[in-house]
Amino acid sequence: MNGPNIFDYATSELSQDAFLCYLLAFGKEKYKMDFPKEYMLAHKFLAKCGIDEKEEILSVGQQVEHIDVLIITTSHILIIEDKTYTDEHDDQIIRYVKNMRKSEEKFLNDKKIKVCFLKTGDYVKSYSSSDESVLQNKDCCSLRRKNLLELLKDYYKCNLVFEMFYKRLLSVEEAIEQCDSENIFDWNRYKWFDFLYNTLIEKKKVFDIKWVHNPNGGFYGCWFGSHKLGEIEKYKQIEIHFNEKGTEFVDLCLKCSSESKEKTQKYKSDMEKWQKESGFNRPDRWRIGRTTTYATKQAINVRDIQNFIKK
């Protein structure tokens, strides 16, 4: 495929929903003879979700009861919560399962519910049930970009749409590999996630990584190393800011947060001690609030970031 790729333009989660519906619709029995490879791929997807790949796919729905993709097989209901860069929120999957149970006649008919949390963009956490009385963790699975690439690699050439989606996901992996391993200012968002994720996992840190929106356009944030200090919590944060060329600057921050700015103020001397021990400067503009950036330093290379994570 040398022409333009529709998924370079159709980048929303709704576009990804449509692709998943398209792929899984080939799993219906009526397509088995005319589209054998597409049929097989749809059933390989079921197997990844813990459903016997021999089961027949009866129906494929999009945005049914607010569910991104709803698949009904011979003996299962498969709820696919489809994400690119966002996270699950407000126990939405548990709510979907409860709604399915309330609509038992319409949807269940003694079918078992399975959940697939699919995320092709940045990811940190896998999905697990927040309420095992409603949904057991054994009935949940998480699929990532690399899982989809693995599924598609033997089948994408049989279908132009499959090929375009595969090439789009592959381009992300290639973008990571093509970044200069030393010059952090050439790194793109994908490379930053890959580096931070793998480094923090290696150092056995508890962490979170996500895009943080603010009036200046936002930044890519990673926070870790949380410790309680009396009534406040102190932690480290890495902030990656981008411009049209790539990475603009990287701030290494010492942060603290509490229930109120008055409580934060009480621990000023402790934070000053942490700042001096770390050899960091106070930010040019700062104010004490519930969450305060107490000290900061700009990273200029990979070693700066690795040392900040390690200490």
Side-chain angles (χ1 to χ4, degrees), residues 65-91:
E65 303 285 321
H66 303 290
I67 295 167
D68 291 336
V69 178
L70 183 68
I71 309 299
I72 300 178
T73 73
T74 313
S75 59
H76 283 84
I77 301 285
L78 175 60
I79 293 171
I80 301 177
E81 181 58 27
D82 178 32
K83 303 288 189 185
T84 50
Y85 295 97
T86 56
D87 296 317
E88 196 227 357
H89 54 84
D90 304 321
D91 276 342

Side-chain angles (χ1 to χ4, degrees), residues 129-170:
S129 174
S130 60
D131 187 345
E132 288 206 40
S133 66
V134 176
L135 182 68
Q136 300 294 308
N137 274 324
K138 63 183 175 62
D139 294 321
C140 310
C141 76
S142 295
L143 295 183
R144 310 297 181 84
R145 182 173 62 244
K146 288 185 177 180
N147 298 124
L148 280 186
L149 283 168
E150 185 68 24
L151 271 170
L152 285 162
K153 72 176 184 180
D154 293 328
Y155 298 94
Y156 73 90
K157 290 182 180 178
C158 71
N159 182 297
L160 180 58
V161 178
F162 291 0
E163 183 176 0
M164 287 192 287
F165 191 78
Y166 177 83
K167 292 286 179 69
R168 171 65 181 171
L169 295 188
L170 189 63

Side-chain angles (χ1 to χ4, degrees), residues 48-51 77-81 93-94 96-97 112-118 127 135-143:
K48 283 285 186 184
C49 299
I51 299 173
I77 301 285
L78 175 60
I79 293 171
I80 301 177
E81 181 58 27
I93 291 175
I94 288 297
Y96 299 157
V97 173
K112 190 173 183 180
I113 294 176
K114 293 274 190 182
V115 165
C116 171
F117 181 68
L118 188 146
Y127 178 75
L135 182 68
Q136 300 294 308
N137 274 324
K138 63 183 175 62
D139 294 321
C140 310
C141 76
S142 295
L143 295 183

